[in-house]
Amino acid sequence: MGAIFEAIQNKLTEAFSPTRLEIEDDSARHAGHAGASASGESHFNVVIQAQAFEGAPKVARQRMVYRTLAEELAGPLHALSVKALAPGED
């Protein structure tokens, strides 16, 4: 786990107290593409399940996550795929 992975994990845990949090560094699959860093940690997939998403539309949930990770998205993080779920959703 690198610094960006840990920042994502810490910030999402603090902001949402998720019951499920899966973070996958998908950077290797994007090697050589625009925005890909040779050192990795540029592309991530996140699955997060939290009460905070209950009743919110999909786009609003994603925006909540993007706001939480705004600092990373402004710098080292090039791409972030988010699947944000409310309790009981798969």
Side-chain angles (χ1 to χ4, degrees):
M1 290 188 293
I4 303 304
F5 182 100
E6 289 182 8
I8 292 169
Q9 184 177 44
N10 292 341
K11 287 183 176 186
L12 293 180
T13 298
E14 184 177 315
F16 300 107
S17 299
T19 55
R20 176 181 171 196
L21 180 59
E22 299 171 14
I23 305 167
E24 175 191 16
D25 184 348
D26 197 29
S27 302
R29 197 167 65 91
H30 298 277
H33 297 175
S37 170
S39 62
E41 290 206 300
S42 60
H43 294 70
F44 283 88
N45 300 320
V46 170
V47 177
I48 182 170
Q49 189 167 39
Q51 185 63 44
F53 302 128
E54 184 76 45
K58 181 180 178 179
V59 172
R61 296 174 184 190
Q62 290 176 332
R63 287 181 180 154
M64 292 166 70
V65 171
Y66 294 152
R67 272 194 302 273
T68 302
L69 300 175
E71 183 179 343
E72 289 72 22
L73 287 164
L77 185 55
H78 177 71
L80 179 66
S81 170
V82 176
K83 183 175 182 181
L85 306 167
E89 295 179 343
D90 286 321

